[in-house]
């Protein structure tokens, strides 16, 4: 029997692509000015000038006017220096001598032209390299101490994920000790990182995953592979998936035959998936597990309120089947949940219980829980297991409960549950922000009926994050409300005019809507085929501007090239 652990996220809608260099026709037409945003993005523009309290940016496919300078750190005027204001006498002299400012340096006209030519040739070479590796099976590979990586994203992302998972291996090895069997110790686990959700679903080996648009990552013991795609719109989500699924991979290495209890398996993976990842002072990645998930806290806090308002009998009875009125999952019930019963609502409870054990009362239970986790997965002496599914083995849920209580030094389950309830109820969360996060998650899960009320509430509550409108646009688009989706997507662009992904999505929605109107009343969705050219001038201009705002995004370039 093999294990297939899936992380589901129904996001076949937003195709935020892969790295490449974009539209550069020749060295002579290279874009002159550069915009440096507050979040560190560098955007080339044909012309960038101060206008009033903000800026006017001119691109090949349109202009963007910013009312203020809040999104921009600085603007570098290059090439055409006729409007450049010298900052001192030295710069005045350089301008008089015909020098040009480029990337913060002053160059002679000849040197500037040589630099443009060099950049053009380098860009052309990189574009050709990216294209040559863009199809799955032709990508880049890298072998590290414990893994073999393959990706068709980019060399930079290959290095990032290789460092991330090796750092995570070391972290878990230090916590629980990873001692694979002799056979597995000689086997490097394969990690496949795809350039998009489409690419992922079209090329993964697991047939169930290919037919499940909700899955965004999985570990499969059958072929010993970890698989996920890189989300260019929200890279942190891909990091979360990578760590979550790698947790399953590492517990498999500890004991390939052990079949874990669902609440422990997913709660621990969720706890470690929610890590803070950053570069340390030595330049290496640091992983700090246990970030609070406000959307999951909100779900459990609402369950506590539902139980209080409905009363225990109603909360456990009829209303429990209604998501809006589900009461708190009692600890004894959580311990006994089956895989079939374990949905997103129970995910929130399981994560919150582990988060409680790791943080309550200054870590009162943390050491005991870590011993429990290590002992359970290594099946230390005294833990009874029984055969299951051919060569597998499992531990009875009741034994797991008793073993946990023993390790954390608790005899009274009811008292522990009361502590858990009190701890989660006391976590301060900002209502609109939590509703936003849960709404974003629900959109990613294709749970649009749940997502839209949360996003509506977040917007009504004063959230200013443009993702609220962008994600609501996705939900409405996938529900067939194209006009509302276009309105919301335009609002997101209004709030963040330099966001290439929002313009890319708007172009997609507009092209879809136009094609559906042309196809007839019974058509609900259009899928543009390979090589098919789209005739829609307005959507094309928006796609072109998206590719200019993110010139290293190959997906945006490919989409733009599908237009006539």
């Amino acid at each position: 029997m093999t294990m297939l652990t899936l992380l589901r996220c129904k996001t076949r809608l937003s195709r935020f692509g892969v790295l490449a260099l974009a539209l550069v026709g020749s060295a002579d037409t290279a874009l002159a000015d550069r915009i440096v945003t507050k979040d560190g993005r560098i955007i080339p523009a044909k012309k960038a000038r101060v206008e009033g309290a903000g800026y006017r940016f001119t691109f090949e496919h349109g202009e963007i006017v910013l009312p203020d300078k809040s999104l921009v750190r600085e603007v570098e005027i290059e090439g055409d220096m006729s409007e450049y204001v010298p900052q001192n006498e030295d710069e005045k002299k350089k301008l008089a001598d015909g020098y040009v400012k480029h990337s913060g340096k002053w160059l002679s006209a000849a040197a500037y032209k040589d630099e443009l030519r060099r950049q053009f040739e380098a860009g052309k070479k990189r574009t050709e390299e990216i294209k040559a590796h863009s199809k799955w099976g032709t990508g880049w590979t890298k072998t590290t101490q414990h893994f073999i990586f393959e990706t068709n994203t980019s060399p930079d992302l290959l290095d990032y994920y290789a460092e991330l998972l090796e750092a995570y291996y070391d972290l878990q090895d230090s916590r629980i000790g990873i001692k694979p069997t002799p056979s597995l110790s000689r086997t490097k686990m394969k990690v496949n990182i795809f350039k998009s959700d489409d690419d992922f679903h079209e090329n993964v080996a697991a047939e169930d995953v290919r037919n499940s648009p909700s899955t965004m990552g999985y570990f499969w013991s059958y072929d010993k592979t970890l698989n996920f795609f890189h989300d260019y719109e929200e890279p942190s989500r891909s990091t979360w998936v990578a760590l979550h699924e790698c947790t399953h991979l590492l517990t498999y290495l500890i004991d390939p035959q052990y079949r874990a209890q669902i609440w422990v398996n997913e709660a621990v993976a969720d706890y470690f998936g929610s890590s803070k990842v950053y570069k340390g002072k030595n330049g290496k990645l640091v992983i700090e597990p246990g970030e609070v998930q406000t959307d999951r806290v909100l779900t459990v806090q609402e369950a506590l309120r539902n139980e209080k308002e409905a009363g225990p009998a109603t909360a456990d009875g009829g209303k429990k089947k209604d998501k809006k009125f589900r009461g708190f999952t009692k600890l004894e019930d959580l311990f006994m949940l089956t895989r079939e019963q374990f949905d997103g609502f129970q995910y929130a409870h399981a994560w919150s219980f582990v988060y409680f054990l790791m943080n309550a009362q200054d870590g009162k239970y943390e050491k005991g829980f870590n011993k429990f986790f290590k002992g359970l997965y290594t099946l230390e002496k005294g833990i009874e297991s029984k055969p299951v599914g051919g060569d597998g083995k499992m531990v009875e849920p009741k034994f797991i409960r008793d073993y946990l209580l023993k390790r954390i030094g608790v005899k009274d389950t009811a008292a522990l549950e009361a502590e858990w309830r009190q701890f989660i109820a006391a976590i301060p969360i900002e209502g609109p922000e939590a509703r936003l996060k849960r709404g974003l998650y629900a959109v990613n899960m294709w749970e649009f009926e749940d997502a839209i009320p949360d996003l509506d509430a977040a917007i009504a509550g004063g959230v200013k994050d443009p993702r609220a409108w962008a994600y609501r646009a996705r939900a409405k688009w996938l529900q067939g409300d194209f006009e509302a989706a276009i309105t919301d997507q335009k609002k997101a662009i209004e709030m963040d005019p330099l966001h290439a992904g929002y313009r890319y999505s708007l172009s997609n929605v507009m092209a879809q809507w136009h094609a559906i109107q042309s196809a007839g009343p019974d058509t609900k969705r259009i899928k543009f085929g390979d090589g098919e050219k789209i005739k829609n001038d307005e959507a094309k201009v928006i796609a072109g501007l998206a590719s200019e705002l993110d010139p290293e995004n190959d997906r945006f370039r490919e989409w733009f090239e599908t237009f006539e």
Side-chain angles (χ1 to χ4, degrees), residues 250-494:
L250 298 180
T251 53
Y252 168 79
L253 288 178
I254 294 170
D255 188 338
Q257 278 72 50
Y258 179 56
R259 307 292 181 259
Q261 177 71 1
I262 186 67
W263 78 264
V264 182
N265 206 39
E266 296 303 332
V268 169
D270 216 21
Y271 180 84
F272 284 102
S274 303
S275 293
K276 182 180 180 181
V277 179
Y278 61 94
K279 287 281 188 181
K281 292 181 179 179
N282 61 359
K284 295 182 179 180
L285 283 182
V286 178
I287 302 173
E288 293 181 358
E291 292 283 283
V292 65
Q293 298 193 52
T294 55
D295 52 334
R296 300 216 187 279
V297 172
L298 176 63
T299 295
V300 179
Q301 288 182 351
E302 286 182 345
L304 287 167
R305 287 195 294 270
N306 289 341
E307 181 185 68
K308 184 177 180 180
E309 293 170 4
T314 306
D316 292 336
K319 283 189 177 181
K320 192 168 185 178
K321 295 179 181 179
D322 189 332
K323 288 183 179 180
K324 295 180 181 178
F325 297 100
R326 292 178 76 172
F328 184 82
T329 299
K330 293 177 173 57
L331 189 53
E332 285 289 346
D333 293 337
L334 181 69
F335 288 150
M336 303 301 158
L337 286 173
T338 64
R339 287 184 176 273
E340 291 71 27
Q341 296 171 317
F342 200 81
D343 58 7
F345 182 78
Q346 304 299 0
Y347 245 113
H349 281 76
W351 167 84
S352 73
F353 181 57
V354 170
Y355 184 79
F356 154 72
L357 292 175
M358 297 294 281
N359 292 279
Q361 299 186 44
D362 296 322
K364 173 183 175 182
Y365 302 116
E366 180 181 9
K367 188 175 181 180
F369 181 78
N370 285 334
K371 288 182 178 179
F372 156 79
F373 180 66
K374 179 177 181 179
L376 180 63
Y377 278 82
T378 57
L379 294 179
E380 68 178 13
K381 187 176 180 180
I383 294 182
E384 299 177 3
S385 63
K386 70 176 187 178
V388 62
D391 64 347
K393 51 190 173 182
M394 65 166 289
V395 179
E396 289 285 357
K398 290 182 179 179
F399 186 96
I400 293 175
R401 175 199 60 195
D402 295 342
Y403 179 60
L404 170 64
L405 297 178
K406 176 183 176 182
R407 278 300 190 185
I408 64 175
V410 172
K411 294 182 179 179
D412 188 351
T413 306
L416 183 64
E417 179 182 311
E419 280 190 62
W420 170 32
R421 287 170 175 261
Q422 184 178 14
F423 178 84
I424 296 299
I427 295 176
I429 60 172
E430 293 291 335
E433 291 294 336
R435 295 292 293 269
L436 170 64
K437 186 175 180 181
R438 192 169 66 178
L440 302 182
Y441 179 80
V443 171
N444 288 332
M445 294 300 292
W446 258 18
E447 296 171 352
F448 304 129
E449 289 185 3
D450 295 333
I452 289 177
D454 273 337
L455 295 173
D456 287 346
I459 291 169
V463 163
K464 301 301 181 185
D465 190 327
R467 290 181 302 168
W469 285 266
Y471 273 66
R472 192 170 68 175
R474 294 188 196 181
K476 291 179 177 178
W477 171 21
L478 268 293
Q479 286 186 321
D481 191 349
F482 283 83
E483 291 174 296
I486 289 170
T487 299
D488 270 353
Q489 200 68 57
K490 286 181 177 180
K491 178 62 177 179
I493 291 171
E494 177 188 323

Side-chain angles (χ1 to χ4, degrees), residues 134-251:
S134 64
K135 288 187 177 181
W136 186 252
T138 65
W140 297 268
T141 61
K142 184 172 186 174
T143 300
T144 61
Q145 184 177 354
H146 301 104
F147 306 99
I148 298 174
F149 293 85
E150 180 176 355
T151 188
N152 57 347
T153 56
S154 74
D156 290 341
L157 286 171
L158 176 68
D159 290 341
Y160 169 74
Y161 286 114
E163 183 181 1
L164 176 74
L165 295 190
E166 282 293 349
Y168 189 55
Y169 189 106
D170 292 342
L171 174 69
Q172 291 293 19
D173 190 30
S174 67
R175 294 176 72 101
I176 59 177
I178 301 172
K179 296 180 174 61
T181 63
S183 174
L184 281 177
S185 66
R186 296 190 297 270
T187 303
K188 292 182 186 290
M189 307 301 278
K190 182 74 183 300
V191 181
N192 298 317
I193 308 155
F194 298 85
K195 68 178 181 178
S196 68
D197 55 349
D198 275 344
D199 202 51
F200 169 77
H201 284 92
E202 289 169 5
N203 291 290
V204 291
E207 185 176 353
D208 288 350
V209 174
R210 292 200 300 271
N211 297 324
S212 173
S214 65
T215 304
M216 66 177 185
Y218 70 94
F219 166 68
W220 198 12
S221 63
Y222 174 76
D223 61 1
K224 300 179 180 60
T225 63
L226 189 163
N227 306 267
F228 60 96
F229 65 88
H230 180 73
D231 185 338
Y232 284 88
E233 176 62 14
E234 289 193 53
S236 61
R237 194 159 63 95
S238 300
T239 296
W240 178 71
V241 175
L243 295 178
H244 181 111
E245 290 303 325
C246 193
T247 304
H248 296 313
L249 181 155
L250 298 180
T251 53

